[in-house]
Amino acid sequence: MSPVRVRQQLCAEEINRAIRAFLSERRGRALTAAERREYEQLRAEWVVARRGRRWGRC
């Protein structure tokens, strides 16, 4: 069985910073399939955090 990565529950502001850093590191090139999946996961976590109003509670 493959290991499951569990990300600590972060507020939307922290996730937003992580997304910006992630994309900044890859500026000027297309994302690989694995990177695209990771980006989509970060984005989904951000949406959940925003709905839970965890913005600014970092």
Side-chain angles (χ1 to χ4, degrees), residues 31-38:
L31 298 177
T32 65
E35 289 169 335
R36 184 72 179 169
R37 284 189 299 273
E38 188 170 349

Side-chain angles (χ1 to χ4, degrees), residues 9-28:
Q9 190 174 37
L10 302 174
C11 71
E13 186 177 345
E14 291 170 321
I15 298 167
N16 187 39
R17 281 193 297 264
I19 290 170
R20 289 175 182 268
F22 178 84
L23 293 174
S24 179
E25 292 169 5
R26 291 151 181 88
R27 185 169 294 150

Side-chain angles (χ1 to χ4, degrees), residues 31-52:
L31 298 177
T32 65
E35 289 169 335
R36 184 72 179 169
R37 284 189 299 273
E38 188 170 349
Y39 168 76
E40 291 296 333
Q41 179 62 40
L42 282 168
R43 200 179 75 160
E45 290 176 23
W46 180 83
V47 169
V48 169
R50 287 293 292 151
R51 286 185 183 152

